[in-house]
């Protein structure tokens, strides 16, 4: 893929009113999701569920790409079409999660380092043959007593940058995801500081590793109160602090920024994105979504592992996709939310 094609792919990922559906749950994570609806995590159940998500008619109006897990990349639709091909046929770009998970970081209690660089060049070549247009690597930054440490932020930024360089070499757009977790009791101000230093470090490392900023997509957390914080910032404050943090750290050459949902409720994740796009019309980059839980949760509940629920589950997914597409334009309203 030429530099021009990488840029075209990156821009298409954040095309107006479109976002990305993350369905790249690892085996332990999808088991957790299936446990919540009392469905066994067998290979066929995972295929059936991903089939429902991937072949949802009308989804391509709101979704530009989907992030798959290795197993999903190799599975097929019920009529035997490989999932990546089924997506391409609908005009949706297949993406692939290529990290091998966030592991305990030696010498750094309660902190994680993401692994997966070994053999990555060869894996990327294979994924490219299977149809991948973009990839994802998630780094996890934990807020707590005395953490995150500089060592953890720098190590994660370094591997993110080396992953991104390998992706660009392979002709695959890297989605660079440093996620500051929102599970602790910290204030929104602390989230702002940690996200700020994380982004500054990540862009510095991307520069050092000669990654072309024009050919990446940033996936990031919103700047938000920790879930256990007694004072929860309102929707507008989350929107304002998130935009302020991005303006202070992210180069204007970047084609686009997408948010993860990180445990926010489906409706709140949409409301936050909408508040940013409604107020800030002239940002250097489009702000869009790449949610996992905030798009899938209502769909997963409606499905509950039963064939007879597939159309209700698909309708629930399409509704969330539509709401978030409108939020990309700052046009999401309570009436639209209720019109499910
Ligand atoms: P959530 O939106 O559920 O946080 O997941 C998005 C994702 O892909 C995290 O890496």
């Amino acid at each position: 893929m030429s530099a021009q094609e990488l840029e075209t792919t990156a821009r298409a990922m954040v095309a107006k009113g479109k976002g990305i559906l993350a369905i790249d749950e690892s085996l332990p994570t999808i088991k957790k999701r299936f446990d919540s609806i009392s469905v066994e995590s067998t290979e066929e159940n995972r295929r059936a569920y991903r089939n429902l998500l991937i072949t949802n008619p009308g989804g391509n109006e709101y979704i530009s790409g989907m992030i798959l897990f290795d197993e999903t990349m190799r599975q097929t639709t019920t009529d035997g079409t490989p999932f990546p091909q089924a997506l391409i046929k609908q005009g949706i770009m297949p993406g692939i999660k290529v990290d091998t998970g966030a592991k305990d970081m030696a010498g750094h209690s309660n902190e994680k380092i993401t692994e997966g660089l070994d053999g990555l060049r060869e894996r990327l070549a294979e994924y490219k043959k299977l149809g991948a247009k973009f990839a994802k690597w998630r780094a996890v930054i934990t807020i707590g007593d005395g953490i995150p440490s500089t060592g953890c932020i720098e190590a994660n930024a370094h591997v993110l940058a080396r992953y991104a360089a390998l992706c660009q070499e392979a002709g695959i757009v890297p989605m660079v995801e440093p996620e500051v977790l929102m599970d602790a009791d910290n204030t929104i101000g602390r989230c702002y500081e940690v996200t700020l230093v994380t982004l500054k470090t990540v862009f510095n490392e991307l520069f050092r590793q000669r990654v072309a900023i024009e050919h990446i997509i940033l996936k990031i957390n919103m700047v938000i109160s920790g879930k256990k914080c007694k004072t929860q910032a309102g929707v507008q404050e989350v929107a304002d602090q998130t935009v302020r943090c991005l303006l202070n750290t992210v180069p204007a050459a970047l084609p686009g920024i997408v948010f993860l949902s990180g445990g926010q409720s489906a409706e709140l994740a949409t409301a936050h994105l909408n508040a940013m796009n409604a107020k800030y019309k002239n940002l250097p980059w489009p702000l869009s979504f790449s949610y996992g839980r905030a798009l899938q949760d209502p769909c997963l509940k409606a499905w509950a592992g039963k064939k007879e629920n597939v159309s209700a589950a698909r309708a629930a997914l399409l509704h969330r996709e539509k709401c978030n597409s409108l939020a990309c334009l700052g046009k999401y309203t309570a009436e639209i939310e209720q019109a499910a």
Side-chain angles (χ1 to χ4, degrees), residues 220-267:
I220 187 71
N221 53 285
M222 295 179 191
V223 174
I224 199 165
S225 316
K227 261 195 228 149
K228 294 185 202 133
C229 180
K230 283 195 198 98
T231 324
Q232 291 289 311
V235 171
Q236 198 55 54
E237 191 179 359
V238 169
D240 290 343
Q241 294 305 323
T242 302
V243 169
R244 182 175 150 236
C245 188
L246 295 172
L247 283 171
N248 272 285
T249 49
V250 182
L254 186 93
I257 300 173
V258 294
F259 294 103
L260 57 96
S261 58
Q264 300 176 62
S265 74
E267 292 184 18

Side-chain angles (χ1 to χ4, degrees), residues 173-192:
V173 171
M175 181 182 258
V176 172
E177 180 182 2
E179 172 178 2
V180 177
L181 295 178
M182 50 184 79
D183 305 321
D185 62 357
N186 58 281
T187 61
I188 186 171
R190 178 95 177 105
C191 181
Y192 180 91

Side-chain angles (χ1 to χ4, degrees), residues 49 52 56 298-300 302-304 309-318:
Y49 177 57
L52 175 173
N56 194 11
C299 167
L300 186 71
W303 177 56
N309 294 340
V310 164
S311 43
R314 286 184 156 166
L317 176 66
L318 204 62

Side-chain angles (χ1 to χ4, degrees), residues 283-301:
L283 293 171
W285 356 257
L287 299 181
S288 180
F289 58 93
S290 173
Y291 301 149
R293 283 163 287 179
L295 283 168
Q296 289 185 55
D297 278 356
C299 167
L300 186 71
K301 276 199 197 91

Side-chain angles (χ1 to χ4, degrees), residues 19-40:
I20 289 166
L21 173 57
I23 58 166
D24 59 329
E25 296 84 4
S26 61
L27 296 175
T29 304
I30 195 71
K31 181 178 182 310
K32 227 192 288 171
R33 305 278 185 268
F34 278 12
D35 283 349
S36 75
I37 52 165
S38 306
V39 169
E40 200 189 337

Side-chain angles (χ1 to χ4, degrees), residues 76-99:
T76 63
T77 61
T78 307
D79 68 9
T81 310
F83 278 145
Q85 298 311 314
L87 287 171
I88 290 166
K89 270 192 212 160
Q90 299 169 76
I92 297 176
M93 292 179 284
I96 178 75
K97 169 201 182 79
V98 298
D99 66 72

Side-chain angles (χ1 to χ4, degrees), residues 159-218:
V159 288
L160 267 172
R162 285 180 56 200
Y163 137 82
L166 282 164
C167 286
Q168 291 186 345
E169 178 190 88
I172 289 178
V173 171
M175 181 182 258
V176 172
E177 180 182 2
E179 172 178 2
V180 177
L181 295 178
M182 50 184 79
D183 305 321
D185 62 357
N186 58 281
T187 61
I188 186 171
R190 178 95 177 105
C191 181
Y192 180 91
E193 284 165 16
V194 172
T195 306
L196 188 82
V197 72
T198 299
L199 284 173
K200 282 202 180 287
T201 311
V202 166
F203 281 101
N204 193 32
E205 283 291 331
L206 289 169
F207 174 68
R208 281 207 227 168
Q209 296 301 323
R210 304 183 178 161
V211 174
I213 299 301
E214 289 93 338
H215 306 153
I216 70 169
I217 292 292
L218 175 69

